[in-house]
Amino acid sequence: MSSDQHFVIVGGGLAAAKVAEALRSRDFDGHVTLFGSEEYLPYELPPLSKEHLAGKKALTEFTIAPAQWYRDHHIEVRLGTTVTGLDTAAKTITLPDGSAVSYDKLALATGSTPRTLHVPGADASNVYTLRTIEDSDALIALFGNARRIVVIGAGWIGLETAAAARAAGVEVTIVELAELPLRTVLGPEMGEVFAGLHRANGVNFQFGAQVEAILTEDAVAIAHGVRLADGSTIDADAVLVAVGARPNVRLAADAGLAVDDGVLVDEHLATSDPDIVAVGDIAAALHPTLGRRIRVEHWANALNQPAVAAATMLGKPAVYDRLPYFFTDQYDLGMEYIGHVPTDGYARVVVRGDAAAREFVAFWLDSENRVLAGMNVNVWDVVDRIKELILAGEPVDPDRLADTAASW
Ligand SMILES: Cc1cc2nc3c(=O)[nH]c(=O)nc-3n(C[C@H](O)[C@H](O)[C@H](O)COP(=O)(O)OP(=O)(O)OC[C@H]3O[C@@H](n4cnc5c(N)ncnc54)[C@H](O)[C@@H]3O)c2cc1C
């Protein structure tokens, strides 16, 4: 690849940093520029709701590479710079000062933004979301002062933050529209496990509950609780809104790239424009093994897709076919999940081990007893085996799978 080429990366998170790294490790010797909105070098997000929030890890420990690494690898990093426009015909991006930057190949890695609530009081100063290091630092300060908080949403971020708050001695009420935590991602069987875990650690749940308003003192716009649709209220010193994230696809959509729930990419991670790839949270990628397009907001995806995207930018054949993989840590529960359960669901969940003791492997099976996904909870070194079962695509014997005395 000739050295006068300019490859541009838009986005300042894990996926963006890994594209830069992969380009250099594939010996691309052209110019690489990474534009990121935040003032920080790319860092990992999982610690923001776990070790960092618990005061156990500083930002430097989860910054992907230090400034010197970018200098050594001749990667120009433009922090605090939000790319505002993309012209695919001219092959330029636009910067906030109106200037245009030309690219030969472009990688989009713009990540996600937390969803907000459209209810009265949502803009009060002590209503929080969690996506950035600044958000996490603000919550640390909050946990030092608050006696009780309300968390809206019992998804991963809401639950992990609740666990950190409980560890800091803060009372937590989680308000959730569904009847269980993680209902849509794990289903009711495993939702119960997480409900039990949090109850055992002193979290109050309000399920089937819709927040109608965040209550504020009119004059100061500081939240002091929430009102639910049934008219009941919950007092709180602060509110965390953890109702999911939406992919940052505006740049791609405005430029006319094919966009649906995310930026549509093929198995090579190329967008509808062959000179542009998309990676990480925004990529709705055609998955060759699963035979459909999936978009996942997972750390492993942002970590691993960039190698394929960089190859595609360099005109080398590469396909992204890893199964989705996710992990969480809450209290003394650590888990990994691999696989993908389609929106039309699963037929049954088989548990191998002791769900009550929170030490088990769960398998999601389809109607023909094929394994779609597996989750190991406080059981380790089994992800490869679960992966084999999924990729084999063969029916399994559910009773044998559940029998801890039998091999699997
Ligand atoms: C608190 C938290 C905890 C998590 N924990 C886990 C976990 O335990 N396990 C797991 O698997 N996943 C977890 N995730 C999800 C995982 O971290 C994400 O899927 C992953 O970080 C996505 O990486 P990304 O690079 O695509 O996006 P991001 O990390 O969101 O990075 C995108 C970056 O691009 C910047 N940007 C956006 N638009 C522009 C623009 N126009 N110009 C320039 N820059 C722009 C953004 O400011 C941001 O810095 C967690 C996420 C959060 C928020």
Side-chain angles (χ1 to χ4, degrees), residues 12 15 37-38 50 83 110-111 131 157 281 297-299 326-327:
S37 295
E38 294 182 58
K50 305 179 188 69
V83 172
T110 47
R131 184 76 198 179
I157 305 261
D281 277 13
E297 295 172 2
H298 293 172
W299 169 86
F326 180 83
F327 64 91

Side-chain angles (χ1 to χ4, degrees), residues 318-333:
V319 163
Y320 189 75
D321 59 3
R322 285 184 187 241
L323 289 173
Y325 165 89
F326 180 83
F327 64 91
T328 187
D329 296 307
Q330 298 170 30
Y331 313 103
D332 57 356
L333 179 150

Side-chain angles (χ1 to χ4, degrees), residues 347-348 350 365-371 394-398 401:
R348 63 190 290 188
V350 170
L365 307 188
D366 69 7
S367 55
E368 288 165 46
N369 287 335
R370 290 177 302 214
V371 179
E394 299 289 336
V396 294
D397 176 349
L401 204 55

Side-chain angles (χ1 to χ4, degrees), residues 47 152 162 351:
I152 304 175
V351 174

